[in-house]
């Protein structure tokens, strides 16, 4: 019997974290929403934006969540 739910067999999605590198600092943002895809643009609190580079493991010790690693996204100036 294959019921197609093996992905959630023993690991219901506990959410994820986002590691964002900004100018001179970084932020670790916890989220229980869906994990963003690499290449996605994230809207941050202060109107800043971040571009997701890759998905990895959470940098927090003992944290089994996935982590989206992103860096500050500066849109090209409009002429």
């Amino acid at each position: 019997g294959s019921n197609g739910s093996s992905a959630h067999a023993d690991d219901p999605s506990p959410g994820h974290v986002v590691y964002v590198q900004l100018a001179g600092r970084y932020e670790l943002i916890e989220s229980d929403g869906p994990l963003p895809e690499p290449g996605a643009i994230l809207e941050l609190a202060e109107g800043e934006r971040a571009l997701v580079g890759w998905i990895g493991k959470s940098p927090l010790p003992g944290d089994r969540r996935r982590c989206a690693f992103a860096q500050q996204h500066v849109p090209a100036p409009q002429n």
Side-chain angles (χ1 to χ4, degrees), residues 2 7 13 26 35-36 42 65:
S2 78
S13 176
Y26 72 88
L35 190 68
L42 304 176
R65 291 176 293 181

Side-chain angles (χ1 to χ4, degrees), residues 51-78:
L51 174 65
V52 178
W54 74 95
I55 305 299
K57 295 197 292 191
S58 169
L60 298 173
D63 188 356
R64 296 179 56 218
R65 291 176 293 181
R66 309 300 300 277
C67 179
F69 291 85
Q71 46 192 319
Q72 187 168 22
H73 175 71
V74 181
Q78 304 292 328

Side-chain angles (χ1 to χ4, degrees), residues 20-37:
V20 186
Q21 212 165 0
L22 299 164
R25 64 190 170 91
Y26 72 88
E27 285 186 20
L28 196 61
I29 303 165
E30 298 184 74
S31 171
D32 47 18
L35 190 68
E37 299 277 324

